[in-house]
Amino acid sequence: IYNSPAEILEPMTFAFMLIGSSLPYWFSAMTMKSVGLAAMKMIKEVQNQFDAKPNLLNPNSKELPDYAKCVEISTKASLNEMIAPGALVILAPLITGTLFGVYAVYGLL
């Protein structure tokens, strides 16, 4: 249609269009897995706190939960678990361009 160097019917470009269209789903799956793992760590910590201090369920009790531990788990999990999805987003175009060339990056993006 236009005089453009990017042709979507070129095999390399088309193949990487299919791969690029799956990247958002892969990123979302990795993110949801990370959130699930962090939530399980948080649940285990809350369960441990209830086991260690059974009076936490009593509204008249003066015992308080260890909020700092829960915040620490959440912060560490968010930093550690999001490395892979972030690397996917940043490295996918770089590796594609380095190994397969410009037409592959056209398709990927």
Side-chain angles (χ1 to χ4, degrees):
I1 296 176
Y2 298 104
N3 193 4
S4 170
E7 290 289 328
I8 63 169
L9 295 178
E10 185 169 323
M12 182 71 74
T13 305
F14 187 75
F16 276 89
M17 280 177 59
L18 296 176
I19 294 170
S21 65
S22 70
L23 284 181
Y25 299 105
W26 190 13
F27 175 82
S28 298
M30 292 171 78
T31 304
M32 286 186 270
K33 179 184 169 208
S34 298
V35 169
L37 292 174
M40 282 308 297
K41 290 177 185 175
M42 185 71 70
I43 289 170
K44 286 180 182 178
E45 175 58 29
V46 170
Q47 185 177 17
N48 288 339
Q49 287 188 24
F50 279 132
D51 289 342
K53 301 176 186 177
N55 286 334
L56 287 177
L57 292 174
N58 184 357
N60 298 326
S61 172
K62 299 293 184 197
E63 270 188 303
L64 293 174
D66 187 6
Y67 296 116
K69 182 68 175 171
C70 292
V71 171
E72 177 185 347
I73 289 172
S74 178
T75 304
K76 282 184 179 179
S78 66
L79 291 174
N80 289 336
E81 297 291 335
M82 291 305 292
I83 291 172
L88 172 71
V89 171
I90 293 171
L91 295 177
L94 296 175
I95 292 172
T96 301
T98 302
L99 297 178
F100 299 102
V102 174
Y103 290 110
V105 177
Y106 287 158
L108 185 75
L109 298 177

